Amino acid sequence: MKELLTRAISGLLYVTLLIVSMYWENALVIVLFIFGLVSLAEFNRLIKLNSFVVPAIIFSVLYFGFWYWSMIHTSNTGTNEAIQILLVITIFVNLFLIKDLFTFSNIPLFESKRYIATTFYLSSGFVFMLLIANYLNIFTPLLLLGSFILVWINDSFAYITGKNFGRQKLFPSVSPKKTVEGFLGGLFFACISSYFIATYTETLGFTSWLILAIIVSVFGTLGDLIESKFKRQAEVKDSGVIMPGHGGLLDRLDSIIFAAPFIYLFLRILSYVS
């Protein structure tokens, strides 16, 4: 009971801090930056990368650089091209991580790939979270909040459905507790919740939020599995201890980190089509 209470309190503090920060852009920028640094430190330990200074500098430059450009240069062609280049490289790296998840017993971690992972897997994920909140160069935090809500609902109902009805293992070599039934349950309830998000946020239409629910469920689950594989290689249960009862901050953010570039890609396509 004490462990459950501890887990509930730390989870509530995390969610409250995130939601409250979305009322003020500068607060959200600072909170996501701190989350990013903590997650980067935890990820460094997982991949046994001794240097934190270089990845932290790269993360800071990317994070604040793209935030500044997206705010100041609203119609700058060069800025759009830079974001597009970062998006293409990030998705390319993430697709390789998906390939490694399915084709290698251990994800290759030679030195150069570690820096690629810290830059275009983790750092870029936080950059695109910020760009989602600044969709079309207008501060629209409800888009990011809606994406987080989809992640939380997907994860919660995947756990509930899997625990009660799960039979077929989804990826037993990486995450023995995840089941196909759990994944489908999370996807189903995320799709249901997309209707309410569309209705109450008044940001995008129901169809767009439904597509986002599918993107979040699929790529969020893949992100969770990839982080689980990194933890299995590092022979640890959690990425850290900063959130009592939950583990590390990366454990809570792995899904949205991986899904964020794909969410942003869909939003960009949507802006071109509209």
Side-chain angles (χ1 to χ4, degrees), residues 51 107 146 180 267:
S51 172
I107 297 176
V180 174
L267 292 175

PDB file of all heavy atoms in Angstrom, residues 51 107 146 180 267:
ATOM      1  N   SER A  51      30.897  10.368 -21.481  1.00  0.00           N
ATOM      2  CA  SER A  51      30.835  11.818 -21.641  1.00  0.00           C
ATOM      3  C   SER A  51      29.391  12.299 -21.601  1.00  0.00           C
ATOM      4  O   SER A  51      28.541  11.840 -22.378  1.00  0.00           O
ATOM      5  CB  SER A  51      31.478  12.225 -22.969  1.00  0.00           C
ATOM      6  OG  SER A  51      31.255  13.600 -23.224  1.00  0.00           O
ATOM      7  N   ILE A 107      21.169  -4.120 -29.430  1.00  0.00           N
ATOM      8  CA  ILE A 107      21.301  -2.968 -30.314  1.00  0.00           C
ATOM      9  C   ILE A 107      22.770  -2.556 -30.358  1.00  0.00           C
ATOM     10  O   ILE A 107      23.383  -2.333 -29.311  1.00  0.00           O
ATOM     11  CB  ILE A 107      20.440  -1.790 -29.818  1.00  0.00           C
ATOM     12  CG1 ILE A 107      18.959  -2.173 -29.854  1.00  0.00           C
ATOM     13  CG2 ILE A 107      20.678  -0.548 -30.671  1.00  0.00           C
ATOM     14  CD1 ILE A 107      18.025  -1.116 -29.293  1.00  0.00           C
ATOM     15  N   GLY A 146      -2.527  17.068 -25.580  1.00  0.00           N
ATOM     16  CA  GLY A 146      -3.341  15.998 -26.140  1.00  0.00           C
ATOM     17  C   GLY A 146      -2.507  14.785 -26.502  1.00  0.00           C
ATOM     18  O   GLY A 146      -2.926  13.632 -26.297  1.00  0.00           O
ATOM     19  N   VAL A 180      -0.097  -8.783 -26.952  1.00  0.00           N
ATOM     20  CA  VAL A 180      -0.813  -8.282 -28.133  1.00  0.00           C
ATOM     21  C   VAL A 180      -2.157  -7.701 -27.711  1.00  0.00           C
ATOM     22  O   VAL A 180      -2.575  -6.640 -28.186  1.00  0.00           O
ATOM     23  CB  VAL A 180      -1.012  -9.408 -29.157  1.00  0.00           C
ATOM     24  CG1 VAL A 180      -1.892  -8.936 -30.319  1.00  0.00           C
ATOM     25  CG2 VAL A 180       0.332  -9.915 -29.678  1.00  0.00           C
ATOM     26  N   LEU A 267       1.607  16.468 -38.464  1.00  0.00           N
ATOM     27  CA  LEU A 267       1.114  17.841 -38.378  1.00  0.00           C
ATOM     28  C   LEU A 267       1.602  18.684 -39.557  1.00  0.00           C
ATOM     29  O   LEU A 267       0.861  19.520 -40.088  1.00  0.00           O
ATOM     30  CB  LEU A 267       1.553  18.481 -37.060  1.00  0.00           C
ATOM     31  CG  LEU A 267       0.919  17.906 -35.785  1.00  0.00           C
ATOM     32  CD1 LEU A 267       1.538  18.548 -34.542  1.00  0.00           C
ATOM     33  CD2 LEU A 267      -0.598  18.101 -35.785  1.00  0.00           C
TER      34      LEU A 267
END
